[in-house]
Amino acid sequence: MQVINKDDQAAMAQELAKFEQKIADEQKIEPGDWMPEAYRKNVIRQMSQHAHSEIIGMQPEGNWITRAPSLRRKAILLSKVQDEAGHGLYLYSSTETLGISRSQMIEALQSGEAKYAQIFNYPTLTWADVGAIGWLVDGAAIVNQISLQRTSYGPYARAMVRICKEESFHQRQGYEAMYALAHGTPVQKQMAQDALDRVWWPSLMMFGPHDSESAHSSQSMAWKIKRVSNDDLRQKFIDQTVPQIEVLGLEMPDPEIKWNEERGHYDSGEINWQEFKEVINGSGPCNFQRIKHHKAAHQEGEWVREAVRAYKQKQIEKQNETAA
Ligand code: BYC
């Protein structure tokens, strides 16, 4: 066991007090700053989970790029999927500032040690699912990410600013695609309804377990890593989405959705938490497929990483030659 002497203990207590004061004063924690090990680990866990979600999230949508119903829809979908790749990259880079490498994060994803948003383990069965993902999945992501613009870790907060702008465009294009279907032929309207019915519940699960069941919430809220609780974010999403369903002219995906005058919020039915647990623990409909595809794509890209390493090595050698 490592023995910490009194001077070290006092220095650490001082650092901890400084860290806590910064959090209290709404100052950002920056990469070079002292931080408790548990804070560093928790931010890495959440940020890398977020990065993996962006990357795995490209798969269900990518499934429809070759089958988009028009050139316009195809161009929009292509750039949306590229945006998600960009989000993943900013987030991996920002997470690396906490002393973990990209390859360590990828390894954790592929071994199942690190999670990604459970929603991406569901299949995209029809074109309407692509609209529903933009509208509901990006919609849920924005509600959460707006609050994360104020997260206490500086690089995460700054990455969120740009990501939110892009997600906001994603949400609108998804809604517009759903609107076209909901106002199209009866078959198209039915397709939109079916997508809404299937994507609704997994979208609500994106906010995580109830606050009372959430393992990380209380510490993450105390350290201002999370600024709004899982249940409050979920309620915000429900409240803003129900009127949008009405405008589409679709049926509610949950018969228990009802305005509660007293609470000033919509009431809704209970989520199937058993399903949530199964999907986050690897038994969703597409978990196996998603990771298998990621491993294959990663392996295929090895030559690019090799080329980057070789180029870097050459640059170092050149610099050394000039210095000698
Ligand atoms: N899915 O203590 P809790 C996008 C895990 S992509 C899977 O409440 P926390 C897009 C949680 O990790 C952007 N796992 O956790 C891309 C923890 O397990 P571990 C998506 C979940 O962290 C392409 C355990 O359950 N957004 O927008 O305090 C196309 C206990 O939970 C989930 C993000 O990734 C879940 N839904 O709060 C379209 C947001 N929920 O880690 C769109 C970033 C919980 O101990 N993440 N778990 O093994 C967060 O904001 C927070 O991590 C959560 C959970 C609110 C999700």
Side-chain angles (χ1 to χ4, degrees):
M1 203 176 83
Q2 197 190 354
V3 181
I4 303 174
N5 69 35
K6 271 198 176 147
D7 287 351
D8 286 348
Q9 269 178 17
M12 226 154 102
Q14 229 177 17
E15 294 285 15
L16 183 62
K18 244 169 46 189
F19 169 85
E20 281 173 351
Q21 193 57 50
K22 268 193 204 157
I23 299 275
D25 294 346
E26 294 288 332
Q27 283 180 34
K28 297 293 176 217
I29 305 301
E30 297 296 342
D33 293 351
W34 185 92
M35 60 188 86
E37 187 54 17
Y39 176 90
R40 193 181 72 85
K41 282 201 172 136
N42 200 6
V43 180
I44 288 178
R45 185 193 59 79
Q46 181 168 327
M47 286 179 76
S48 64
Q49 189 250 48
H50 195 158
H52 299 324
S53 305
E54 302 279 0
I55 296 301
I56 297 289
M58 291 194 286
Q59 291 188 39
E61 289 186 304
N63 180 35
W64 281 91
I65 290 175
T66 55
R67 292 176 287 160
S70 68
L71 185 58
R72 175 173 170 264
R73 296 281 180 211
K74 190 183 180 112
I76 294 172
L77 184 56
L78 257 177
S79 51
K80 179 183 189 299
V81 171
Q82 282 175 344
D83 283 354
E84 309 300 0
H87 298 172
L89 298 187
Y90 314 145
L91 285 164
Y92 282 132
S93 301
S94 320
T95 315
E96 281 184 311
T97 63
L98 287 158
I100 183 169
S101 70
R102 173 106 61 97
S103 50
Q104 283 173 310
M105 288 184 260
I106 301 287
E107 228 176 272
L109 167 70
Q110 294 187 345
S111 71
E113 186 198 321
K115 294 192 168 64
Y116 56 88
Q118 45 49 249
I119 185 93
F120 303 117
N121 290 312
Y122 292 86
T124 36
L125 301 178
T126 70
W127 169 253
D129 288 16
V130 173
I133 288 181
W135 170 36
L136 299 171
V137 176
D138 286 272
I142 299 169
V143 167
N144 184 4
Q145 289 167 183
I146 292 215
S147 72
L148 289 174
Q149 290 178 340
R150 293 187 298 115
T151 187
S152 55
Y153 188 57
Y156 193 18
R158 290 189 287 276
M160 280 303 115
V161 174
R162 175 159 175 185
I163 290 179
C164 278
K165 284 186 184 151
E166 291 177 349
E167 300 284 31
S168 163
F169 164 74
H170 296 170
Q171 194 269 349
R172 282 171 213 196
Q173 69 77 35
Y175 192 67
E176 195 257 343
M178 286 297 274
Y179 192 92
L181 290 171
H183 292 82
T185 65
V187 173
Q188 286 173 320
K189 186 169 181 184
Q190 185 47 45
M191 214 161 87
Q193 182 69 55
D194 171 59
L196 166 60
D197 293 344
R198 281 181 293 104
V199 180
W200 175 256
W201 293 103
S203 302
L204 298 187
M205 293 175 195
M206 282 178 73
F207 297 98
H210 281 313
D211 298 345
S212 54
E213 304 290 316
S214 165
H216 303 288
S217 275
S218 61
Q219 185 59 77
S220 292
M221 295 286 283
W223 277 333
K224 298 184 181 171
I225 297 168
K226 280 164 77 163
R227 304 306 304 254
V228 183
S229 83
N230 296 2
D231 285 328
D232 288 351
L233 288 169
R234 187 168 15 246
Q235 183 69 61
K236 195 163 194 266
F237 172 72
I238 294 171
D239 289 347
Q240 79 178 36
T241 310
V242 169
Q244 295 169 358
I245 300 174
E246 285 165 355
V247 172
L248 290 179
L250 296 176
E251 300 288 327
M252 290 298 152
D254 166 7
E256 291 182 49
I257 289 178
K258 207 171 141 215
W259 179 250
N260 183 325
E261 196 63 52
E262 212 173 293
R263 289 200 313 124
H265 292 291
Y266 284 97
D267 288 338
S268 56
E270 191 51 295
I271 289 168
N272 181 343
W273 292 112
Q274 185 53 33
E275 177 181 323
F276 171 77
K277 278 187 197 141
E278 281 170 15
V279 179
I280 68 168
N281 289 319
S283 309
C286 299
N287 296 57
F288 178 75
Q289 179 186 334
R290 299 294 184 233
I291 294 299
K292 188 175 165 213
H293 182 84
H294 188 277
K295 283 182 179 165
H298 191 65
Q299 231 163 22
E300 237 172 74
E302 178 55 25
W303 70 270
V304 180
R305 292 189 293 280
E306 218 171 84
V308 170
R309 282 193 297 269
Y311 178 74
K312 214 172 171 185
Q313 184 58 31
K314 271 191 186 164
Q315 295 295 99
I316 293 170
E317 282 165 15
K318 246 191 208 165
Q319 266 173 7
N320 288 347
E321 269 171 34
T322 333

